[in-house]
Amino acid sequence: MRAGPLHIRALHIKKYTEEHELVNFDDATGVGIVSITDHAQSVLGDVVFVELPTVGTTFNQGDQIGAVESVKAASDIYAPVSGTIEAINENLSGEPGLLNKSAEDKGWLCKIKLSDPAELDKLLTWEDYKKTYVE
Amino acid sequence: MVPFAGYSMPLSYGDVGQVASHNHVRKSVGIFDVGHMVQSNFRGKTAVNFLEWLTPSSLSSLKPYASTLSVLLNEKGGIIDDTIVTKHASDAFYVVTNAGRRERDLAWFKEKLAEWNASETGKNGPVEHEVLENWGLLALQGPEAASYLQGLTSFDLSQLTFGNSAFVPIEGFNLHVARGGYTGEDGFEISIPPSQTLEVARLLTKSPVQLIGLGARDSLRLEAGMCLYGNDMDETTTPVEAGLSWVIGKERKEAGGFIGAEAVQQQLKDGPSRRRIGLVVEGAPARQGAKIFSPNKDELGIVTSGIPSPTLGKNIAMGYVKSGWHKKGTEVQVEVRKQLRKGVLTPMPFIKPNYWRG
Protein backbone atom coordinates (compact mmCIF):
# COMPACT_ATOMS: atom_id res chain seq x y z
CA MET A 1 0.00 0.00 0.00
CA ARG A 2 1.12 3.51 -0.83
CA ALA A 3 2.49 5.33 2.18
CA GLY A 4 1.80 8.93 1.22
CA PRO A 5 -0.54 11.04 -0.85
CA LEU A 6 0.01 11.38 -4.61
CA HIS A 7 1.49 14.87 -4.63
CA ILE A 8 4.69 13.86 -2.84
CA ARG A 9 5.61 11.34 -5.55
CA ALA A 10 8.81 12.18 -7.40
CA LEU A 11 7.59 14.53 -10.07
CA HIS A 12 10.78 14.62 -12.08
CA ILE A 13 12.48 11.51 -13.35
CA LYS A 14 15.89 11.74 -14.99
CA LYS A 15 16.82 8.91 -17.30
CA TYR A 16 19.77 8.42 -19.62
CA THR A 17 20.67 6.63 -22.85
CA GLU A 18 23.90 4.97 -23.87
CA GLU A 19 24.08 7.56 -26.65
CA HIS A 20 24.50 10.24 -23.95
CA GLU A 21 21.05 11.78 -24.07
CA LEU A 22 19.22 12.71 -20.92
CA VAL A 23 15.46 13.06 -20.52
CA ASN A 24 14.07 14.94 -17.56
CA PHE A 25 10.46 13.80 -17.33
CA ASP A 26 7.78 15.78 -15.58
CA ASP A 27 5.11 13.40 -14.41
CA ALA A 28 2.53 16.15 -14.05
CA THR A 29 2.70 17.41 -17.63
CA GLY A 30 3.85 14.26 -19.41
CA VAL A 31 6.63 16.28 -21.02
CA GLY A 32 10.30 15.35 -21.03
CA ILE A 33 13.15 17.82 -21.51
CA VAL A 34 15.87 16.31 -23.68
CA SER A 35 19.55 17.26 -23.27
CA ILE A 36 22.91 15.76 -23.98
CA THR A 37 24.80 14.88 -20.83
CA ASP A 38 27.56 16.97 -19.35
CA HIS A 39 29.90 14.07 -20.03
CA ALA A 40 28.93 14.15 -23.72
CA GLN A 41 29.63 17.87 -24.06
CA SER A 42 33.04 17.46 -22.46
CA VAL A 43 33.97 14.75 -24.96
CA LEU A 44 32.65 16.73 -27.93
CA GLY A 45 34.53 19.90 -27.09
CA ASP A 46 33.50 23.32 -28.30
CA VAL A 47 30.02 23.02 -29.78
CA VAL A 48 29.56 25.31 -32.77
CA PHE A 49 26.25 24.23 -34.24
CA VAL A 50 23.14 22.47 -33.01
CA GLU A 51 20.49 21.08 -35.32
CA LEU A 52 17.09 20.61 -33.71
CA PRO A 53 13.83 19.03 -34.87
CA THR A 54 10.78 20.99 -35.94
CA VAL A 55 8.11 21.66 -33.34
CA GLY A 56 5.12 19.40 -33.93
CA THR A 57 7.09 16.51 -35.41
CA THR A 58 6.50 13.05 -33.99
CA PHE A 59 9.34 10.62 -33.40
CA ASN A 60 9.78 7.07 -32.22
CA GLN A 61 12.26 6.18 -29.55
CA GLY A 62 15.71 5.91 -31.19
CA ASP A 63 14.90 8.09 -34.22
CA GLN A 64 17.44 10.73 -35.11
CA ILE A 65 16.07 14.10 -34.03
CA GLY A 66 19.06 16.33 -34.58
CA ALA A 67 22.79 16.72 -34.26
CA VAL A 68 25.42 18.53 -32.26
CA GLU A 69 28.50 19.69 -34.11
CA SER A 70 31.87 20.56 -32.66
CA VAL A 71 34.97 21.35 -34.67
CA LYS A 72 36.05 17.80 -34.02
CA ALA A 73 32.94 15.88 -35.09
CA ALA A 74 29.21 15.70 -35.70
CA SER A 75 27.28 13.77 -33.13
CA ASP A 76 23.74 12.60 -33.86
CA ILE A 77 21.01 13.05 -31.29
CA TYR A 78 18.42 10.29 -30.96
CA ALA A 79 15.00 10.53 -29.39
CA PRO A 80 15.34 8.93 -25.94
CA VAL A 81 11.56 8.41 -25.89
CA SER A 82 8.70 8.41 -28.41
CA GLY A 83 6.52 11.47 -28.67
CA THR A 84 5.87 14.84 -30.23
CA ILE A 85 8.22 17.82 -30.12
CA GLU A 86 6.54 20.56 -28.09
CA ALA A 87 9.35 23.10 -28.03
CA ILE A 88 12.98 23.55 -28.99
CA ASN A 89 15.65 25.63 -27.30
CA GLU A 90 15.81 28.63 -29.64
CA ASN A 91 18.79 30.07 -27.73
CA LEU A 92 21.07 27.37 -29.12
CA SER A 93 20.98 28.73 -32.66
CA GLY A 94 22.58 31.98 -31.54
CA GLU A 95 24.63 30.55 -28.71
CA PRO A 96 25.58 26.91 -29.34
CA GLY A 97 28.24 27.27 -26.63
CA LEU A 98 25.42 27.02 -24.05
CA LEU A 99 25.78 23.28 -24.54
CA ASN A 100 29.29 23.41 -23.11
CA LYS A 101 28.43 25.84 -20.32
CA SER A 102 25.26 24.16 -19.17
CA ALA A 103 24.54 20.97 -21.07
CA GLU A 104 21.90 19.58 -18.74
CA ASP A 105 20.18 22.86 -17.87
CA LYS A 106 20.33 26.02 -20.02
CA GLY A 107 21.62 24.00 -22.98
CA TRP A 108 18.54 21.76 -23.17
CA LEU A 109 17.63 20.68 -26.70
CA CYS A 110 13.90 20.08 -26.94
CA LYS A 111 10.76 19.17 -25.05
CA ILE A 112 8.92 16.00 -26.01
CA LYS A 113 5.36 15.12 -25.06
CA LEU A 114 5.79 11.44 -24.35
CA SER A 115 3.41 9.07 -26.15
CA ASP A 116 4.44 6.15 -23.95
CA PRO A 117 5.98 7.10 -20.59
CA ALA A 118 6.56 3.41 -19.88
CA GLU A 119 9.50 3.67 -22.27
CA LEU A 120 11.34 5.49 -19.52
CA ASP A 121 11.71 2.19 -17.74
CA LYS A 122 13.94 0.96 -20.56
CA LEU A 123 16.37 3.84 -20.09
CA LEU A 124 19.36 3.97 -17.79
CA THR A 125 19.52 5.38 -14.30
CA TRP A 126 22.32 7.86 -13.52
CA GLU A 127 24.34 5.10 -11.85
CA ASP A 128 23.98 2.78 -14.83
CA TYR A 129 24.71 5.53 -17.31
CA LYS A 130 27.86 6.51 -15.47
CA LYS A 131 29.08 2.93 -15.69
CA THR A 132 28.96 3.17 -19.51
CA TYR A 133 31.95 5.52 -19.55
CA VAL A 134 33.69 5.14 -16.19
CA GLU A 135 35.86 2.06 -16.00
CA MET B 1 44.75 9.46 -27.67
CA VAL B 2 43.83 7.95 -31.01
CA PRO B 3 45.52 5.37 -33.23
CA PHE B 4 47.18 7.06 -36.20
CA ALA B 5 49.39 5.33 -38.76
CA GLY B 6 50.54 2.76 -36.23
CA TYR B 7 51.20 5.40 -33.56
CA SER B 8 49.09 6.42 -30.62
CA MET B 9 48.66 10.17 -30.94
CA PRO B 10 46.85 12.85 -28.97
CA LEU B 11 43.88 14.64 -30.53
CA SER B 12 44.55 17.34 -27.96
CA TYR B 13 46.87 17.83 -25.00
CA GLY B 14 45.56 18.03 -21.45
CA ASP B 15 42.26 19.84 -21.22
CA VAL B 16 43.11 22.50 -23.82
CA GLY B 17 40.29 22.26 -26.35
CA GLN B 18 40.80 21.97 -30.08
CA VAL B 19 39.56 25.50 -30.75
CA ALA B 20 41.81 27.05 -28.09
CA SER B 21 44.79 25.16 -29.54
CA HIS B 22 43.87 26.20 -33.04
CA ASN B 23 43.59 29.86 -32.07
CA HIS B 24 46.86 29.74 -30.17
CA VAL B 25 48.69 28.71 -33.34
CA ARG B 26 46.98 31.46 -35.35
CA LYS B 27 47.78 34.13 -32.75
CA SER B 28 50.95 32.96 -30.99
CA VAL B 29 52.94 29.75 -31.41
CA GLY B 30 52.35 26.02 -31.07
CA ILE B 31 54.40 22.91 -31.57
CA PHE B 32 53.41 19.67 -33.30
CA ASP B 33 55.21 16.38 -32.75
CA VAL B 34 55.25 15.00 -36.28
CA GLY B 35 57.99 12.47 -35.63
CA HIS B 36 55.70 9.79 -37.04
CA MET B 37 56.31 11.16 -40.53
CA VAL B 38 58.88 9.39 -42.66
CA GLN B 39 62.13 11.26 -43.22
CA SER B 40 64.53 10.03 -45.90
CA ASN B 41 67.77 10.93 -47.57
CA PHE B 42 68.48 10.18 -51.22
CA ARG B 43 72.13 10.38 -52.17
CA GLY B 44 74.13 9.64 -55.30
CA LYS B 45 75.36 11.23 -58.49
CA THR B 46 72.03 10.74 -60.28
CA ALA B 47 69.76 11.43 -57.30
CA VAL B 48 68.26 14.45 -59.00
CA ASN B 49 67.43 12.42 -62.10
CA PHE B 50 66.00 9.59 -60.04
CA LEU B 51 63.68 11.92 -58.11
CA GLU B 52 62.67 13.68 -61.32
CA TRP B 53 61.55 10.25 -62.54
CA LEU B 54 59.55 9.60 -59.34
CA THR B 55 58.01 13.09 -59.20
CA PRO B 56 56.93 15.66 -61.80
CA SER B 57 58.87 18.45 -60.06
CA SER B 58 61.69 20.46 -61.57
CA LEU B 59 64.35 19.52 -59.09
CA SER B 60 67.35 20.33 -61.33
CA SER B 61 66.43 23.99 -61.28
CA LEU B 62 65.67 24.03 -57.54
CA LYS B 63 68.28 26.03 -55.61
CA PRO B 64 70.32 24.27 -52.92
CA TYR B 65 68.48 24.11 -49.59
CA ALA B 66 65.17 24.96 -51.25
CA SER B 67 62.10 22.75 -50.74
CA THR B 68 59.06 22.04 -52.84
CA LEU B 69 55.75 20.28 -52.33
CA SER B 70 55.64 17.35 -54.71
CA VAL B 71 53.81 14.11 -55.43
CA LEU B 72 54.83 10.52 -56.03
CA LEU B 73 52.79 9.24 -58.96
CA ASN B 74 51.87 5.74 -60.10
CA GLU B 75 51.90 4.75 -63.80
CA LYS B 76 48.34 6.08 -64.21
CA GLY B 77 49.26 9.47 -62.80
CA GLY B 78 47.51 8.70 -59.49
CA ILE B 79 49.02 10.17 -56.34
CA ILE B 80 50.83 7.56 -54.23
CA ASP B 81 51.70 10.24 -51.69
CA ASP B 82 52.36 13.92 -51.34
CA THR B 83 55.78 14.88 -50.09
CA ILE B 84 58.13 17.73 -49.34
CA VAL B 85 61.41 17.41 -51.24
CA THR B 86 64.39 19.47 -50.08
CA LYS B 87 67.43 19.72 -52.30
CA HIS B 88 70.72 19.99 -50.46
CA ALA B 89 72.70 19.43 -53.66
CA SER B 90 72.00 17.67 -56.94
CA ASP B 91 73.34 14.50 -55.34
CA ALA B 92 71.66 14.92 -51.93
CA PHE B 93 67.95 15.27 -51.15
CA TYR B 94 65.94 15.20 -47.94
CA VAL B 95 62.40 13.92 -48.42
CA VAL B 96 59.49 13.82 -45.97
CA THR B 97 56.53 11.53 -46.69
CA ASN B 98 53.35 10.60 -44.81
CA ALA B 99 53.33 8.07 -41.98
CA GLY B 100 50.04 6.65 -43.22
CA ARG B 101 51.73 5.77 -46.52
CA ARG B 102 54.93 4.43 -45.03
CA GLU B 103 54.69 0.84 -46.30
CA ARG B 104 53.47 1.79 -49.75
CA ASP B 105 56.08 4.55 -50.18
CA LEU B 106 59.04 2.52 -48.91
CA ALA B 107 58.13 -0.44 -51.12
CA TRP B 108 57.78 1.93 -54.06
CA PHE B 109 61.16 3.56 -53.38
CA LYS B 110 62.79 0.16 -53.08
CA GLU B 111 61.27 -1.15 -56.32
CA LYS B 112 62.01 1.95 -58.34
CA LEU B 113 65.51 2.34 -56.91
CA ALA B 114 66.39 -1.22 -57.94
CA GLU B 115 65.07 -0.49 -61.44
CA TRP B 116 66.98 2.79 -61.59
CA ASN B 117 70.27 1.43 -60.35
CA ALA B 118 70.08 -1.40 -62.90
CA SER B 119 69.55 1.06 -65.77
CA GLU B 120 72.31 2.65 -67.85
CA THR B 121 72.00 6.02 -66.08
CA GLY B 122 71.84 4.39 -62.69
CA LYS B 123 74.92 2.32 -63.28
CA ASN B 124 76.89 5.50 -63.85
CA GLY B 125 75.85 6.88 -60.51
CA PRO B 126 73.80 4.67 -58.25
CA VAL B 127 71.37 6.26 -55.80
CA GLU B 128 71.06 5.25 -52.15
CA HIS B 129 67.98 5.65 -50.01
CA GLU B 130 68.30 6.00 -46.25
CA VAL B 131 65.29 6.18 -43.93
CA LEU B 132 66.01 8.35 -40.90
CA GLU B 133 64.52 5.86 -38.45
CA ASN B 134 63.53 7.25 -35.05
CA TRP B 135 64.52 10.77 -35.92
CA GLY B 136 62.35 13.42 -34.39
CA LEU B 137 60.42 16.02 -36.36
CA LEU B 138 58.93 19.00 -34.57
CA ALA B 139 56.90 21.70 -36.28
CA LEU B 140 56.96 25.06 -34.55
CA GLN B 141 54.11 27.08 -36.06
CA GLY B 142 52.57 30.49 -35.60
CA PRO B 143 53.32 34.20 -35.89
CA GLU B 144 55.55 34.06 -32.79
CA ALA B 145 57.49 30.98 -33.95
CA ALA B 146 60.35 33.02 -35.42
CA SER B 147 60.89 35.23 -32.39
CA TYR B 148 60.82 32.17 -30.12
CA LEU B 149 63.33 30.22 -32.19
CA GLN B 150 65.51 33.30 -32.68
CA GLY B 151 65.93 33.39 -28.90
CA LEU B 152 67.69 30.02 -29.12
CA THR B 153 70.09 30.69 -31.98
CA SER B 154 72.67 33.14 -33.28
CA PHE B 155 71.60 32.26 -36.85
CA ASP B 156 69.75 35.20 -38.43
CA LEU B 157 66.35 33.61 -39.11
CA SER B 158 65.19 36.60 -41.14
CA GLN B 159 67.52 35.28 -43.85
CA LEU B 160 65.72 31.94 -43.90
CA THR B 161 62.65 32.51 -46.05
CA PHE B 162 59.58 30.35 -46.68
CA GLY B 163 60.41 27.15 -48.55
CA ASN B 164 64.09 27.15 -47.61
CA SER B 165 66.17 25.13 -45.17
CA ALA B 166 69.41 25.46 -43.26
CA PHE B 167 71.42 23.73 -40.59
CA VAL B 168 70.84 25.97 -37.61
CA PRO B 169 72.78 25.87 -34.33
CA ILE B 170 70.16 25.68 -31.57
CA GLU B 171 71.65 25.78 -28.08
CA GLY B 172 74.54 23.54 -29.08
CA PHE B 173 72.59 21.28 -31.42
CA ASN B 174 73.08 21.63 -35.16
CA LEU B 175 69.68 20.92 -36.63
CA HIS B 176 68.04 20.84 -40.05
CA VAL B 177 65.41 23.56 -40.01
CA ALA B 178 62.94 24.01 -42.87
CA ARG B 179 60.83 27.16 -42.96
CA GLY B 180 57.25 26.20 -43.72
CA GLY B 181 54.62 23.87 -42.36
CA TYR B 182 51.07 22.63 -42.54
CA THR B 183 49.10 25.44 -40.93
CA GLY B 184 49.32 28.45 -43.26
CA GLU B 185 51.36 30.23 -40.61
CA ASP B 186 55.01 31.13 -40.53
CA GLY B 187 56.97 28.33 -38.91
CA PHE B 188 59.73 25.76 -38.91
CA GLU B 189 60.02 22.03 -39.25
CA ILE B 190 62.98 20.85 -37.24
CA SER B 191 64.56 17.46 -37.84
CA ILE B 192 66.33 15.95 -34.82
CA PRO B 193 68.68 12.96 -34.46
CA PRO B 194 67.25 10.22 -32.18
CA SER B 195 69.56 10.89 -29.23
CA GLN B 196 68.63 14.59 -29.09
CA THR B 197 64.85 14.56 -29.56
CA LEU B 198 63.91 14.88 -25.90
CA GLU B 199 66.33 17.67 -25.08
CA VAL B 200 65.39 19.66 -28.17
CA ALA B 201 61.69 19.11 -27.49
CA ARG B 202 62.20 20.57 -24.00
CA LEU B 203 63.92 23.61 -25.46
CA LEU B 204 61.08 24.18 -27.89
CA THR B 205 58.13 23.78 -25.53
CA LYS B 206 58.50 26.67 -23.12
CA SER B 207 55.96 29.48 -22.83
CA PRO B 208 54.32 30.77 -24.98
CA VAL B 209 54.68 27.57 -27.01
CA GLN B 210 51.76 25.16 -26.53
CA LEU B 211 51.60 21.49 -27.53
CA ILE B 212 49.10 21.04 -30.36
CA GLY B 213 47.33 17.76 -31.14
CA LEU B 214 45.96 16.14 -34.27
CA GLY B 215 42.56 17.83 -33.96
CA ALA B 216 43.87 21.35 -34.38
CA ARG B 217 46.38 20.14 -36.95
CA ASP B 218 43.44 19.14 -39.14
CA SER B 219 41.45 22.36 -38.73
CA LEU B 220 44.56 24.51 -39.32
CA ARG B 221 45.58 22.72 -42.51
CA LEU B 222 42.04 22.78 -43.85
CA GLU B 223 41.75 26.55 -43.36
CA ALA B 224 45.06 26.80 -45.21
CA GLY B 225 43.55 24.79 -48.09
CA MET B 226 46.07 21.96 -47.76
CA CYS B 227 45.27 18.36 -48.61
CA LEU B 228 45.25 15.47 -46.20
CA TYR B 229 46.37 12.32 -47.97
CA GLY B 230 43.68 9.65 -47.72
CA ASN B 231 40.93 12.26 -47.40
CA ASP B 232 41.52 14.72 -50.19
CA MET B 233 43.60 12.57 -52.49
CA ASP B 234 44.51 8.95 -53.06
CA GLU B 235 45.88 6.75 -55.83
CA THR B 236 42.85 7.42 -58.01
CA THR B 237 43.46 11.18 -57.89
CA THR B 238 45.82 12.92 -60.29
CA PRO B 239 47.67 16.12 -59.42
CA VAL B 240 45.66 17.92 -62.13
CA GLU B 241 42.37 16.93 -60.47
CA ALA B 242 43.76 17.80 -57.05
CA GLY B 243 44.60 21.35 -58.14
CA LEU B 244 48.29 20.57 -57.79
CA SER B 245 49.32 21.14 -61.42
CA TRP B 246 51.58 23.85 -60.06
CA VAL B 247 53.86 21.22 -58.52
CA ILE B 248 54.58 19.98 -62.05
CA GLY B 249 57.64 21.76 -63.43
CA LYS B 250 56.85 24.10 -66.31
CA GLU B 251 59.14 22.39 -68.80
CA ARG B 252 58.17 18.97 -67.49
CA LYS B 253 54.53 19.50 -68.50
CA GLU B 254 55.82 19.33 -72.08
CA ALA B 255 58.84 17.08 -71.75
CA GLY B 256 57.39 14.50 -69.35
CA GLY B 257 59.91 11.86 -68.37
CA PHE B 258 58.32 11.08 -65.01
CA ILE B 259 56.25 8.09 -63.95
CA GLY B 260 52.60 8.76 -64.83
CA ALA B 261 53.51 11.52 -67.31
CA GLU B 262 51.24 10.27 -70.11
CA ALA B 263 48.08 10.37 -68.03
CA VAL B 264 49.00 13.72 -66.51
CA GLN B 265 49.84 15.29 -69.87
CA GLN B 266 46.58 14.01 -71.34
CA GLN B 267 44.65 15.65 -68.49
CA LEU B 268 46.59 18.87 -68.80
CA LYS B 269 45.62 18.94 -72.47
CA ASP B 270 41.96 17.88 -72.21
CA GLY B 271 41.22 19.15 -68.73
CA PRO B 272 40.33 16.78 -65.89
CA SER B 273 36.77 15.46 -65.45
CA ARG B 274 36.67 16.58 -61.81
CA ARG B 275 38.50 19.15 -59.74
CA ARG B 276 39.27 19.81 -56.12
CA ILE B 277 37.44 22.87 -54.86
CA GLY B 278 36.80 24.81 -51.67
CA LEU B 279 33.31 25.38 -50.30
CA VAL B 280 31.62 27.50 -47.69
CA VAL B 281 28.45 25.75 -46.51
CA GLU B 282 25.54 27.43 -44.73
CA GLY B 283 23.96 25.94 -41.62
CA ALA B 284 25.40 22.57 -40.76
CA PRO B 285 29.07 21.76 -41.37
CA ALA B 286 29.55 19.40 -44.31
CA ARG B 287 32.06 16.69 -43.56
CA GLN B 288 33.85 13.93 -45.45
CA GLY B 289 31.40 11.98 -47.60
CA ALA B 290 28.73 14.68 -47.93
CA LYS B 291 27.38 14.72 -51.48
CA ILE B 292 27.46 17.86 -53.59
CA PHE B 293 24.54 18.61 -55.92
CA SER B 294 23.70 21.24 -58.50
CA PRO B 295 20.67 23.49 -57.87
CA ASN B 296 18.80 21.03 -60.16
CA LYS B 297 19.82 18.16 -57.88
CA ASP B 298 22.32 16.60 -60.28
CA GLU B 299 25.07 14.94 -58.33
CA LEU B 300 28.31 16.85 -58.88
CA GLY B 301 30.73 15.31 -56.44
CA ILE B 302 31.65 14.79 -52.83
CA VAL B 303 33.15 16.56 -49.84
CA THR B 304 36.50 15.08 -48.78
CA SER B 305 37.20 17.22 -45.69
CA GLY B 306 35.02 19.68 -43.83
CA ILE B 307 34.87 21.52 -40.52
CA PRO B 308 33.36 24.55 -38.88
CA SER B 309 36.34 26.91 -39.25
CA PRO B 310 37.44 28.23 -35.85
CA THR B 311 39.10 31.26 -37.44
CA LEU B 312 36.33 32.25 -39.83
CA GLY B 313 33.25 31.09 -37.93
CA LYS B 314 31.96 29.54 -41.16
CA ASN B 315 31.67 25.96 -42.32
CA ILE B 316 34.48 25.28 -44.75
CA ALA B 317 35.05 22.18 -46.80
CA MET B 318 37.04 20.85 -49.68
CA GLY B 319 35.93 18.28 -52.14
CA TYR B 320 35.65 17.34 -55.78
CA VAL B 321 33.09 18.47 -58.35
CA LYS B 322 32.62 17.84 -62.05
CA SER B 323 34.60 20.21 -64.22
CA GLY B 324 32.46 23.13 -65.27
CA TRP B 325 31.10 23.47 -61.73
CA HIS B 326 34.47 24.36 -60.26
CA LYS B 327 34.49 28.15 -60.68
CA LYS B 328 34.50 30.36 -57.62
CA GLY B 329 31.14 31.79 -56.66
CA THR B 330 29.25 28.83 -58.12
CA GLU B 331 26.28 27.93 -55.95
CA VAL B 332 25.72 24.29 -55.13
CA GLN B 333 23.85 22.23 -52.57
CA VAL B 334 25.47 19.95 -50.05
CA GLU B 335 23.61 17.12 -48.37
CA VAL B 336 24.01 16.91 -44.60
CA ARG B 337 21.69 14.59 -42.65
CA LYS B 338 19.37 14.22 -45.66
CA GLN B 339 18.87 17.98 -45.99
CA LEU B 340 20.34 20.08 -48.76
CA ARG B 341 22.34 23.11 -47.59
CA LYS B 342 23.55 25.96 -49.69
CA GLY B 343 27.22 25.94 -50.57
CA VAL B 344 29.31 28.48 -52.44
CA LEU B 345 32.57 27.61 -54.16
CA THR B 346 35.30 29.60 -52.49
CA PRO B 347 38.97 29.94 -53.42
CA MET B 348 41.52 28.30 -51.13
CA PRO B 349 43.32 28.97 -48.88
CA PHE B 350 40.32 30.05 -46.82
CA ILE B 351 42.57 32.19 -44.62
CA LYS B 352 45.36 34.47 -45.78
CA PRO B 353 48.65 32.62 -45.27
CA ASN B 354 51.26 34.30 -43.14
CA TYR B 355 54.56 33.07 -44.58
CA TRP B 356 57.93 34.75 -44.11
CA ARG B 357 59.15 35.74 -47.55
CA GLY B 358 61.79 38.21 -46.35
Side-chain angles (χ1 to χ4, degrees):
Chain A
M1 198 186 138
R2 246 196 161 86
L6 265 180
H7 69 264
I8 65 157
R9 277 175 60 193
L11 286 179
H12 292 267
I13 303 167
K14 277 193 189 179
K15 285 297 198 76
Y16 299 79
T17 69
E18 284 181 16
E19 287 79 30
H20 310 285
E21 292 98 11
L22 153 66
V23 56
N24 187 351
F25 178 67
D26 183 339
D27 202 13
T29 59
V31 172
I33 302 175
V34 177
S35 314
I36 64 165
T37 65
D38 191 54
H39 169 69
Q41 72 76 21
S42 72
V43 173
L44 272 171
D46 309 277
V47 172
V48 294
F49 180 77
V50 184
E51 189 144 61
L52 296 173
T54 313
V55 173
T57 335
T58 299
F59 291 97
N60 289 321
Q61 191 175 34
D63 285 353
Q64 192 185 338
I65 54 171
V68 175
E69 302 253 10
S70 67
V71 176
K72 201 190 292 179
S75 184
D76 294 336
I77 307 163
Y78 302 98
V81 286
S82 306
T84 305
I85 305 295
E86 285 219 321
I88 57 168
N89 187 350
E90 304 280 358
N91 294 333
L92 290 176
S93 60
E95 199 187 341
L98 269 181
L99 265 186
N100 296 112
K101 282 183 212 148
S102 177
E104 300 185 10
D105 184 22
K106 293 197 178 76
W108 63 277
L109 303 172
C110 60
K111 295 180 182 177
I112 296 185
K113 176 88 175 176
L114 273 65
S115 55
D116 179 11
E119 283 176 350
L120 287 168
D121 299 339
K122 295 187 239 164
L123 301 182
L124 304 174
T125 61
W126 162 243
E127 287 75 20
D128 289 339
Y129 168 66
K130 210 174 164 189
K131 281 183 202 150
T132 65
Y133 64 88
V134 178
E135 283 176 22
Chain B
M1 302 294 285
V2 292
F4 187 87
Y7 290 79
S8 179
M9 294 188 61
L11 271 179
S12 54
Y13 286 89
D15 53 6
V16 182
Q18 181 178 347
V19 174
S21 282
H22 179 110
N23 292 338
H24 192 76
V25 174
R26 288 269 179 260
K27 288 183 188 128
S28 178
V29 51
I31 197 163
F32 303 77
D33 178 0
V34 287
H36 59 296
M37 296 190 80
V38 182
Q39 304 178 65
S40 293
N41 282 324
F42 287 90
R43 290 206 187 87
K45 209 167 100 186
T46 59
V48 67
N49 314 87
F50 173 68
L51 290 172
E52 284 201 340
W53 180 47
L54 255 60
T55 75
S57 300
S58 290
L59 301 172
S60 331
S61 55
L62 203 63
K63 292 197 180 98
Y65 284 86
S67 305
T68 182
L69 174 69
S70 192
V71 284
L72 301 171
L73 300 178
N74 63 29
E75 284 83 358
K76 291 175 180 169
I79 302 173
I80 296 173
D81 202 358
D82 58 344
T83 172
I84 300 282
V85 178
T86 303
K87 180 185 190 176
H88 290 154
S90 66
D91 61 356
F93 287 83
Y94 165 71
V95 173
V96 181
T97 48
N98 283 305
R101 298 296 284 167
R102 183 187 171 99
E103 283 182 28
R104 172 71 170 125
D105 291 345
L106 294 188
W108 182 253
F109 287 145
K110 195 176 171 188
E111 178 193 331
K112 292 298 150 187
L113 206 58
E115 238 179 276
W116 181 262
N117 286 337
S119 72
E120 281 311 306
T121 332
K123 277 179 190 157
N124 289 330
V127 178
E128 287 173 20
H129 173 216
E130 176 199 12
V131 181
L132 298 173
E133 296 289 9
N134 299 317
W135 280 53
L137 191 61
L138 293 172
L140 192 69
Q141 300 280 300
E144 292 177 356
S147 59
Y148 183 88
L149 193 61
Q150 191 64 77
L152 301 172
T153 180
S154 56
F155 187 103
D156 180 5
L157 291 173
S158 69
Q159 300 300 309
L160 184 67
T161 51
F162 176 75
N164 289 291
S165 300
F167 281 93
V168 175
I170 297 173
E171 299 265 313
F173 302 101
N174 195 37
L175 303 173
H176 187 269
V177 174
R179 196 152 199 166
Y182 195 49
T183 60
E185 296 297 329
D186 184 22
F188 306 89
E189 292 191 333
I190 302 160
S191 175
I192 314 158
S195 64
Q196 303 170 356
T197 48
L198 266 179
E199 274 181 274
V200 174
R202 282 196 191 101
L203 282 175
L204 293 175
T205 49
K206 300 194 171 112
S207 176
V209 179
Q210 284 184 8
L211 300 167
I212 313 293
L214 282 179
R217 182 168 162 81
D218 190 56
S219 48
L220 289 159
R221 69 91 193 169
L222 188 47
E223 287 184 346
M226 295 168 175
C227 293
L228 174 62
Y229 194 92
N231 272 45
D232 309 309
M233 53 167 105
D234 59 27
E235 288 212 34
T236 67
T237 321
T238 71
V240 186
E241 293 165 347
L244 297 175
S245 298
W246 61 272
V247 310
I248 307 168
K250 205 171 167 189
E251 73 285 354
R252 310 208 67 201
K253 287 179 180 167
E254 280 293 316
F258 53 91
I259 297 168
E262 278 176 26
V264 167
Q265 286 172 319
Q266 193 67 44
Q267 278 199 345
L268 284 170
K269 189 163 150 266
D270 302 341
S273 58
R274 57 176 183 153
R275 294 175 195 254
R276 183 169 66 95
I277 48 90
L279 275 174
V280 170
V281 181
E282 287 180 10
R287 302 189 191 254
Q288 185 181 23
K291 288 180 177 172
I292 305 169
F293 295 90
S294 72
N296 296 330
K297 309 232 168 71
D298 294 323
E299 198 169 325
L300 300 176
I302 199 157
V303 168
T304 52
S305 290
I307 48 156
S309 157
T311 305
L312 301 171
K314 294 180 201 170
N315 304 317
I316 58 170
M318 65 168 83
Y320 286 82
V321 294
K322 282 183 191 166
S323 286
W325 289 90
H326 62 279
K327 300 208 169 53
K328 69 174 180 186
T330 303
E331 288 189 14
V332 295
Q333 301 190 85
V334 185
E335 190 180 81
V336 181
R337 290 183 289 274
K338 292 174 190 158
Q339 280 183 51
L340 293 173
R341 331 266 172 161
K342 189 181 156 193
V344 177
L345 270 70
T346 307
M348 293 184 286
F350 294 103
I351 51 116
K352 190 172 168 283
N354 180 30
Y355 301 132
W356 177 253
R357 298 188 189 273

